[in-house]
Amino acid sequence: MKWKIHKSSEFLDRKRLLTRVGQQKYFSNKIKPILPTKEQLSIILGSLLGDASLSCAPRSKNYSYKEHFSSHQFEYRKWKMEKLADLGFHITKSHHLYSYSHPFFTELHHLFYHDGKKVVPKILLPFMDHPLLLATLYLDDGSLRLSITKKNKKIFLHPNLAIYSQSFSEGDNTALMTHFNQYFGTSFVLNKRKDGTGFILKLNKERDVRYFLNIIRPFVKDIPNVAYKTDLDHRLNLEISRLKNLYPDHVILPSSSSRNKPYTDDEIEKLISLRKLGKSWNEIANSLNRTYWSVMYKAKELKTRL
């Protein structure tokens, strides 16, 4: 100032830019990398296909994971948090499961969001190969349902399973369906809906529902309060008890793929002989490696020989 020398605006702008770059490099060097295990990555990807989102705070450079849940889902989200705790995941009092902002989630945001809309990133499909991904997507956005058909004093229960993926396009749903069916051996089909983009993933047959639930069972057995979604026999027993109270004069028959499997002549003869020996229907079912309902259904056909 003594010599009336002033710094030009260009010099000051360059100085500020270099300072910001230096600060960014300093803080970037201090950020620890997130290196999820196979199981942790599967939970994160399955959740992002489901309820979770990625958001960026106004003054943050990076995105973070965010998931809101109701109080009755607390145990399930607590399970998630415990699995992901060493990655910085935590639960707030307002029923949110959060992560800290990090370049890892910024990169995931680039893959999962196009023009502000969530998509299925096809490049990540090869990484969607663990049952935990199916489990978290299903527990986030799926349901186990029992359709009821009444006819001639009989009530038939038909299990089906849905993943409510209508926020994704038909193309994205097709990509998920194809990947799951090819990699896990499931039998998902596209089912039309009136809401969202018009399509969800669905399993319509009892054997396909059981197959899917058997895949995820080892990974969800320790999560409290999810049996209504993961244990088909538990759901059937509850519904049978409810229907028996409402319709005491009706026969209740759950759908069974084994019931539709043809009986061999040897099985028929064994069923008849065991019954004549006074064996219970449960004992006969166990001996034939059939379900109780399958044996009961066949016994009605053979009533003239029993």
Side-chain angles (χ1 to χ4, degrees), residues 181-211:
N181 291 348
Q182 289 180 349
Y183 190 85
F184 295 102
T186 52
S187 300
F188 281 106
V189 296
L190 289 187
N191 190 76
K192 287 189 176 183
R193 297 266 297 189
K194 292 183 179 180
D195 58 335
T197 58
F199 292 92
I200 62 172
L201 302 184
K202 196 174 179 187
L203 298 172
N204 290 312
K205 297 180 180 179
E206 180 259 356
R207 67 170 179 268
D208 297 334
V209 171
R210 287 192 182 276
Y211 179 84

Side-chain angles (χ1 to χ4, degrees), residues 45 107-108 110-112 114 119-128 175:
L45 295 182
E107 184 60 29
L108 284 179
H110 294 329
L111 297 173
F112 269 93
H114 292 172
V119 300
V120 175
K122 311 302 189 297
I123 195 172
L124 290 181
L125 287 176
F127 298 93
M128 299 181 184

Side-chain angles (χ1 to χ4, degrees), residues 92-105:
T92 67
K93 292 182 179 180
S94 58
H95 289 157
H96 283 85
L97 176 62
Y98 273 116
S99 77
Y100 299 110
S101 60
H102 193 279
F104 173 78
F105 297 109

